[in-house]
Amino acid sequence: MCLINLQFRDHPTYKLIVAANRDEFYGRPAAPAHFWEDEPYILAGRDLTGMGTWLGVTKQGRIAALTNFRDPTNLEAGRLSRGAVVKDFLAGTHSPKEYLQSINAKQYAGFNVIIGDAERLFYYNNIQEESYEIPPGTHGLSNHFLNTPWPKVTKGKEKLASYMAQTDRVDLEKIFTILADGDHAPDTHLPDTGVGLDLERMLSPMFIKTPDYGTRSATVILVAHDGSLTFAERNYEKGLFKEDNRFEFKIE
């Protein structure tokens, strides 16, 4: 996943709003969001290569979401799949702090992860091996550190905060429209992450569409103050709408 926008404990109706896009090569197989047969309390899409996931929740209200850290010098082969970081937290019972302390940072290529629940969220990256509790407010994460002001991060935070300030009850289509913004950032605003200007341009929109890589799914998670959880996923096939999936339940 390459973009996670969230508003945390800053709204009269919702404890947590997550609006996220997953970007991946079109050829990497994945299953849409579902309750897993081998871990029936986990609701998430699934990477069918590493068998982990990029974003998921549990019936008990645990949540985890991961992005890769963009660094062309940190792509060593043979490391563990980063999707296991999300899967193992969701499948376990450790507190966020205990779980983060158990991660062997050197087993994975660079990543960021957000874990916790609608009461407390924690951020960790294995580049700086840094973790901290996320304060209330609107936050954004792409392929650098939390709230790094890349154009897509800044735009996503601003659009989500603006929309949520205008409504007491979310219209999912409004958030999916925000996530479908395919406008490229001006060259003068692009970061320099070592991948070259042409690729920086292609990766700059919130919604990415290239010949072989792009936004595969968009996900909206809503956790209301009454403990009800909505998980809505929109899947794409090479940049075109494919299907919607929606789940609703009360946190146990």
Side-chain angles (χ1 to χ4, degrees):
M1 181 181 294
C2 284
L3 182 63
I4 304 168
N5 304 303
L6 63 92
Q7 188 175 88
F8 178 53
R9 303 192 67 82
D10 196 27
H11 191 272
T13 306
Y14 304 100
K15 296 179 183 180
L16 177 64
I17 304 103
V18 177
N21 279 343
R22 182 211 179 202
D23 306 326
E24 183 54 88
F25 287 100
Y26 300 142
R28 186 172 178 118
H34 63 287
F35 284 102
W36 294 4
E37 291 185 6
D38 54 336
E39 298 285 354
Y41 285 95
I42 293 179
L43 170 60
R46 198 158 200 180
D47 169 40
L48 298 179
T49 300
M51 298 307 291
T53 186
W54 52 95
L55 169 66
V57 300
T58 69
K59 292 180 180 178
Q60 295 78 21
R62 290 165 80 87
I63 184 168
L66 179 141
T67 68
N68 295 346
F69 189 91
R70 191 189 304 165
D71 180 358
T73 68
N74 186 19
L75 298 173
E76 296 179 27
R79 296 189 172 192
L80 297 180
S81 170
R82 288 169 284 200
V85 175
V86 172
K87 179 193 73 174
D88 290 347
F89 175 73
L90 295 175
T93 58
H94 287 104
S95 71
K97 286 185 177 180
E98 291 170 336
Y99 180 71
L100 293 177
Q101 289 170 356
S102 74
I103 293 175
N104 183 343
K106 295 180 174 57
Q107 289 183 310
Y108 306 92
F111 71 85
N112 302 281
V113 69
I114 294 171
I115 65 171
D117 56 31
E119 302 298 331
R120 299 181 74 187
L121 287 174
F122 292 81
Y123 164 74
Y124 169 83
N125 71 76
N126 71 335
I127 302 299
Q128 299 171 321
E129 296 189 49
E130 174 187 56
S131 66
Y132 56 83
E133 189 166 353
I134 298 174
T138 305
H139 303 276
L141 175 65
S142 185
N143 304 109
H144 204 259
F145 303 124
L146 183 66
N147 292 320
T148 296
W150 285 5
K152 66 166 67 177
V153 173
T154 300
K155 179 186 284 189
K157 289 169 60 177
E158 290 176 348
K159 285 194 168 189
L160 180 62
S162 175
Y163 173 61
M164 295 308 301
Q166 301 171 39
T167 185
D168 290 333
R169 187 64 59 178
V170 162
D171 179 345
L172 291 171
E173 282 301 320
K174 297 285 189 182
I175 298 189
F176 280 129
T177 298
I178 291 172
L179 291 171
D181 187 329
D183 290 345
H184 290 74
D187 287 357
T188 54
H189 294 174
L190 295 176
D192 181 4
T193 61
V195 299
L197 181 58
D198 287 345
L199 189 52
E200 297 285 9
R201 286 190 188 115
M202 287 192 291
L203 299 177
S204 70
M206 295 173 63
F207 187 97
I208 296 171
K209 184 179 179 180
T210 77
D212 56 3
Y213 177 91
T215 300
R216 298 270 301 271
S217 64
T219 304
V220 180
I221 299 171
L222 308 172
V223 183
H225 287 285
D226 67 1
S228 60
L229 188 150
T230 299
F231 187 111
E233 178 188 76
R234 177 160 293 177
N235 289 287
Y236 298 91
E237 184 74 38
K238 296 184 178 179
L240 301 176
F241 170 79
K242 181 180 180 183
E243 63 179 357
D244 281 341
N245 295 298
R246 181 170 175 174
F247 306 83
E248 294 182 337
F249 59 89
K250 277 274 195 175
I251 294 172
E252 296 178 0

